[in-house]
Short mmCIF file of all heavy atoms in Angstrom, two decimals:
data_model
loop_
_atom_site.label_atom_id
_atom_site.label_comp_id
_atom_site.label_asym_id
_atom_site.label_seq_id
_atom_site.Cartn_x
_atom_site.Cartn_y
_atom_site.Cartn_z
N THR A 1290 74.13 162.68 55.66
CA THR A 1290 74.28 162.83 54.14
C THR A 1290 75.64 162.02 53.82
O THR A 1290 76.46 161.85 54.62
CB THR A 1290 74.43 164.35 53.95
OG1 THR A 1290 74.54 164.56 52.45
CG2 THR A 1290 75.70 164.94 54.44
N GLN A 1291 75.66 161.74 52.52
CA GLN A 1291 76.78 161.04 52.06
C GLN A 1291 77.83 162.10 51.74
O GLN A 1291 77.72 162.97 50.80
CB GLN A 1291 76.48 160.26 50.79
CG GLN A 1291 77.61 159.70 49.95
CD GLN A 1291 78.37 158.65 50.77
OE1 GLN A 1291 77.61 157.85 51.54
NE2 GLN A 1291 79.70 158.52 50.79
N PRO A 1292 79.06 161.96 52.38
CA PRO A 1292 80.25 162.95 52.10
C PRO A 1292 80.61 162.90 50.58
O PRO A 1292 80.52 161.79 49.93
CB PRO A 1292 81.24 162.60 53.06
CG PRO A 1292 80.55 161.68 54.08
CD PRO A 1292 79.43 161.05 53.36
N GLN A 1293 81.13 164.08 50.10
CA GLN A 1293 81.69 164.09 48.75
C GLN A 1293 83.20 164.18 49.01
O GLN A 1293 83.74 165.23 49.44
CB GLN A 1293 81.15 165.24 48.13
CG GLN A 1293 79.66 165.21 47.79
CD GLN A 1293 79.16 166.21 46.73
OE1 GLN A 1293 79.78 166.26 45.69
NE2 GLN A 1293 78.12 166.93 47.04
N TYR A 1294 83.89 163.04 48.74
CA TYR A 1294 85.26 163.01 48.96
C TYR A 1294 86.07 163.49 47.69
O TYR A 1294 85.60 163.57 46.67
CB TYR A 1294 85.75 161.56 49.08
CG TYR A 1294 84.93 160.73 50.23
CD1 TYR A 1294 83.96 159.93 49.87
CD2 TYR A 1294 85.31 160.91 51.56
CE1 TYR A 1294 83.29 159.26 50.88
CE2 TYR A 1294 84.65 160.27 52.53
CZ TYR A 1294 83.64 159.37 52.21
OH TYR A 1294 83.02 158.68 53.19
N LEU A 1295 87.29 164.00 48.04
CA LEU A 1295 88.17 164.45 46.95
C LEU A 1295 89.43 163.50 47.10
O LEU A 1295 90.46 163.81 47.59
CB LEU A 1295 88.66 165.88 47.10
CG LEU A 1295 89.29 166.70 45.99
CD1 LEU A 1295 88.41 166.49 44.73
CD2 LEU A 1295 89.42 168.08 46.17
N PRO A 1296 89.32 162.19 46.45
CA PRO A 1296 90.42 161.20 46.62
C PRO A 1296 91.50 161.42 45.82
O PRO A 1296 91.92 160.63 45.03
CB PRO A 1296 89.51 159.97 46.27
CG PRO A 1296 88.67 160.41 45.22
CD PRO A 1296 88.19 161.80 45.62
N LEU A 1297 92.19 162.54 45.99
CA LEU A 1297 93.42 162.92 45.07
C LEU A 1297 94.57 163.32 46.05
O LEU A 1297 94.30 163.70 47.18
CB LEU A 1297 93.11 163.99 44.05
CG LEU A 1297 92.02 163.74 43.05
CD1 LEU A 1297 91.75 164.96 42.31
CD2 LEU A 1297 92.40 162.56 42.22
N PRO A 1298 95.80 163.19 45.51
CA PRO A 1298 96.90 163.91 46.33
C PRO A 1298 96.54 165.32 46.59
O PRO A 1298 95.94 165.99 45.73
CB PRO A 1298 98.08 163.74 45.45
CG PRO A 1298 97.74 162.51 44.53
CD PRO A 1298 96.31 162.77 44.26
N THR A 1299 97.09 165.84 47.66
CA THR A 1299 96.95 167.30 47.82
C THR A 1299 97.67 168.10 46.87
O THR A 1299 97.32 169.07 46.37
CB THR A 1299 97.51 167.56 49.36
OG1 THR A 1299 96.78 166.83 50.32
CG2 THR A 1299 97.09 169.10 49.67
N ILE A 1300 98.95 167.56 46.52
CA ILE A 1300 99.82 168.24 45.56
C ILE A 1300 100.29 167.23 44.51
O ILE A 1300 100.91 166.15 44.98
CB ILE A 1300 100.93 168.88 46.34
CG1 ILE A 1300 100.42 169.94 47.24
CG2 ILE A 1300 101.93 169.65 45.23
CD1 ILE A 1300 101.56 170.47 48.27
N PHE A 1301 100.13 167.49 43.21
CA PHE A 1301 100.68 166.54 42.22
C PHE A 1301 102.03 166.94 41.90
O PHE A 1301 102.53 168.04 42.10
CB PHE A 1301 99.73 166.68 41.02
CG PHE A 1301 98.50 165.74 40.93
CD1 PHE A 1301 97.39 166.15 41.64
CD2 PHE A 1301 98.57 164.65 40.32
CE1 PHE A 1301 96.23 165.39 41.56
CE2 PHE A 1301 97.55 163.79 40.32
CZ PHE A 1301 96.29 164.15 40.92
#
Side-chain angles (χ1 to χ4, degrees):
T1290 186
Q1291 175 62 40
Q1293 298 195 49
Y1294 306 101
L1295 197 50
L1297 298 175
T1299 309
I1300 301 170
F1301 273 83

